[in-house]
Amino acid sequence: MNTETKTHTALHIVKGAILKTLGPEAKWSTSAAVNGSHGRIAVEYPRKPTPEQLAQIQTKTDEKIKEDAEIETYTMTRKEAEERWGDWIYDKFPLPDHIQTLTIFHLPDWNVNACNKKHTKTTGQIGKIRITKTRYRNSKQILEISYDIE
């Protein structure tokens, strides 16, 4: 399995850990990037997280990898996906209206997202995710988390 597939899947794991730690106020991803074994995700959040919350994001990420949970993918109509998961399948900027068939990444009770990229079959296939940098941009109320997979 190639590195970028693992690194991309890790985005979903980190996003789930952010939501489990910070709650639904951190729902909207504003950007994501993958380059080799390095990834970065940014989410809207109304205040700077505490050091304890940031540590908890790493802990929850580690636990989800260790769990080796199965990742589900579905292809369905946009209407079916929205009826099942609402707007949780979207990032800050929704997909264009003309896209009516979606591929859904689903890790039950963790993360759901309309995503047409390749993913690992389980969380354990990713390997270790190490958060390398966090930055809170107060003027934009954006939390950025960078990580590497090892």
Side-chain angles (χ1 to χ4, degrees):
M1 182 168 313
N2 77 41
T3 300
E4 291 214 353
T5 297
K6 294 177 182 180
T7 307
H8 173 79
T9 308
L11 281 170
H12 297 283
I13 308 307
V14 174
K15 173 69 184 285
I18 291 168
L19 280 168
K20 292 288 185 189
T21 302
L22 302 179
E25 288 180 306
K27 174 181 182 178
W28 296 112
S29 301
T30 58
S31 69
V34 168
N35 184 5
S37 63
H38 179 75
R40 180 184 46 76
I41 186 165
V43 297
E44 283 187 346
Y45 193 64
R47 62 197 157 279
K48 184 176 182 175
T50 65
E52 294 79 16
Q53 287 172 316
L54 295 173
Q56 193 174 19
I57 292 168
Q58 178 70 68
T59 299
K60 288 184 181 306
T61 298
D62 294 343
E63 290 168 354
K64 188 51 74 172
I65 293 297
K66 186 177 179 181
E67 185 182 320
D68 198 24
E70 185 177 341
I71 293 166
E72 303 169 353
T73 56
Y74 302 98
T75 300
M76 60 180 60
T77 68
R78 184 181 193 134
K79 183 175 189 248
E80 289 170 317
E82 288 175 352
E83 286 172 357
R84 185 165 177 186
W85 292 291
D87 64 2
W88 287 92
I89 61 174
Y90 299 118
D91 297 316
K92 178 67 177 176
F93 307 102
L95 299 172
D97 288 338
H98 72 275
I99 298 174
Q100 292 299 310
T101 300
L102 304 179
T103 301
I104 302 294
F105 170 99
H106 185 231
L107 186 54
D109 299 318
W110 194 262
N111 180 256
V112 62
N113 192 248
C115 183
N116 64 0
K117 304 288 186 198
K118 287 187 177 186
H119 300 97
T120 61
K121 294 187 184 313
T122 68
T123 59
Q125 289 178 326
I126 296 167
K128 171 80 175 147
I129 300 171
R130 185 174 50 85
I131 294 174
T132 57
K133 181 179 177 185
T134 59
R135 180 174 129 184
Y136 185 73
R137 298 170 61 189
N138 195 45
S139 63
K140 295 186 177 189
Q141 296 191 320
I142 300 287
L143 170 63
E144 296 177 352
I145 295 183
S146 296
Y147 64 89
D148 291 327
I149 61 163
E150 301 172 347

